[in-house]
Amino acid sequence: KTDAIVLLTGESGCGKDYVARYIHRHSKRASGSFFAINCAALPPDLAESELFGHEAGAFTGTRGRKRGLFELSEGGTILLNEIGEMDTRLQAKLLTFLDSRSFVRVGGEQAIRANARLLAATNRDLETEVKLGRFRQDLYFRLNVLRVHVPPLRERTEDIPHLARSLLARIAVDLQLPLVPGIDEKTLKELQSYPWPGNVRELSNVLERAVIRSGGSPIDLTGLGIRQSENLRATKSFPIPDDK
C-alpha cells in the first residue's frame, strides 16, 4: 500500500514479473498504468530514450518528441526487469531520478518531474555485482528498500498443483478452448517430483505442449511427454515421445 521501491530477486522464470503485477494491482496505484521493460533487451544507445524520452532532433532521423516510460507511468508503476543488466551510465541517471524524482529528456534542457513508482527485478546477486564493479553501490542501496525474494519452484513444490491449474486456465483462454483441461493427482505428483530448472516458465511451456497434444482430453503423463517417472526426475528436459 506504500510507494516504496521493491527489489524482487530470484532465478529466471520464477515469477518475479507476476509478483510485480500483483504488487501493482494491490497498491494505491492500481488504477494507474503498469509498464515493464527488460533492461537486458535494451541496446545501450536506445535505453535512455526508452526510459526518459527524447526531444525532436536528439538523434539523427528523429522528427518528434518522445515520452519515455517514466513519463508514461505517471501515477502508475514501472518495473525495471533484469536491472542488473543495466548500463552503468544509465544507472547514474536512474539514481538521479530516484533522488530528485525528475529527469531531463535526451537532447532536452528542462527538468521533468514524474510520479511513478519503481519496482526492480533481477536474477543476479547485486551485492556481488557491486563488488565486481558492474553495478553502482549507491544505486543498490537506493533500490534495496523492500526486498522480496521469489524462491525457485523446486523449493516450493507445494505450489505446483495450484500453479498448474491456474496456468491451464490461462492456456485454455489463449488457445480459445471451450473447457479448461483437467489434470489428475498422479500427474500433479509427478510434476512435484521434477526439479524445474526453468521454474514457472518451464512449467507453463510443458503444460501448453501437453494441452496441444491432448486434443482436449485430460492432461496425463503421456501428454506431458514422459515415459516413466524416473525420466522426470533424471532429465533436465522432457523427452519427446515416439509417434507411435
Side-chain angles (χ1 to χ4, degrees):
K1 297 294 184 181
T2 75
D3 282 339
I5 298 171
V6 179
L7 177 62
L8 300 164
T9 61
E11 295 179 4
S12 178
C14 67
K16 298 186 294 296
D17 184 83
Y18 179 90
V19 174
R21 292 176 186 276
Y22 181 92
I23 291 171
H24 170 72
R25 290 197 306 268
H26 292 80
S27 73
K28 296 181 294 185
R29 297 172 176 261
S31 60
S33 58
F34 177 90
F35 286 95
I37 190 165
N38 187 343
C39 298
L42 284 176
D45 55 338
L46 297 178
E48 185 176 2
S49 174
E50 287 295 320
L51 291 176
F52 300 104
H54 64 251
E55 298 289 352
F59 307 107
T60 303
T62 56
R63 298 180 180 179
R65 172 186 294 172
K66 174 183 176 179
R67 293 194 301 162
L69 290 184
F70 278 107
E71 278 186 86
L72 296 173
S73 301
E74 178 71 22
T77 306
I78 181 171
L79 167 65
L80 298 183
N81 222 332
E82 305 306 344
I83 196 169
E85 309 283 346
M86 181 178 282
D87 179 74
T88 52
R89 183 177 62 86
L90 192 56
Q91 290 178 28
K93 187 161 185 175
L94 175 61
L95 180 64
T96 300
F97 168 73
L98 294 177
D99 286 339
S100 65
R101 291 294 167 178
S102 64
F103 61 90
V104 178
R105 295 191 190 105
V106 178
E109 297 178 349
Q110 182 178 0
I112 300 168
R113 294 192 63 82
N115 177 23
R117 183 187 188 181
L118 178 67
L119 308 178
T122 181
N123 61 8
R124 293 193 175 192
D125 182 342
L126 291 187
E127 293 181 357
T128 299
E129 294 299 302
V130 168
K131 292 177 182 178
L132 294 174
R134 294 194 292 241
F135 200 84
R136 293 180 62 107
Q137 185 180 58
D138 47 6
L139 178 59
Y140 169 66
F141 290 147
R142 193 69 179 80
L143 293 173
N144 195 23
V145 179
L146 293 174
R147 186 168 182 169
V148 177
H149 180 70
V150 184
L153 193 53
R154 63 182 175 274
E155 293 181 6
R156 50 188 173 107
T157 56
E158 67 278 4
D159 290 346
I160 288 177
H162 171 73
L163 284 168
R165 294 187 177 100
S166 177
L167 290 168
L168 285 171
R170 190 191 69 188
I171 291 167
V173 172
D174 292 343
L175 298 180
Q176 298 181 341
L177 301 178
L179 296 173
V180 177
I183 184 168
D184 59 32
E185 293 299 321
K186 179 181 178 183
T187 302
L188 288 172
K189 289 186 181 299
E190 291 293 339
L191 293 178
Q192 288 179 290
S193 70
Y194 179 64
W196 299 108
N199 289 299
V200 181
R201 186 179 295 127
E202 184 183 8
L203 174 62
S204 177
N205 291 343
V206 166
L207 291 173
E208 183 175 1
R209 180 166 68 244
V211 169
I212 293 171
R213 296 186 52 170
S214 70
S217 301
I219 304 301
D220 59 19
L221 296 182
T222 303
L224 290 172
I226 305 165
R227 289 193 183 92
Q228 299 175 3
S229 60
E230 288 76 16
N231 290 338
L232 186 59
R233 289 186 287 270
T235 62
K236 289 191 176 182
S237 61
F238 286 89
I240 301 173
D242 297 332
D243 292 335
K244 298 180 182 179

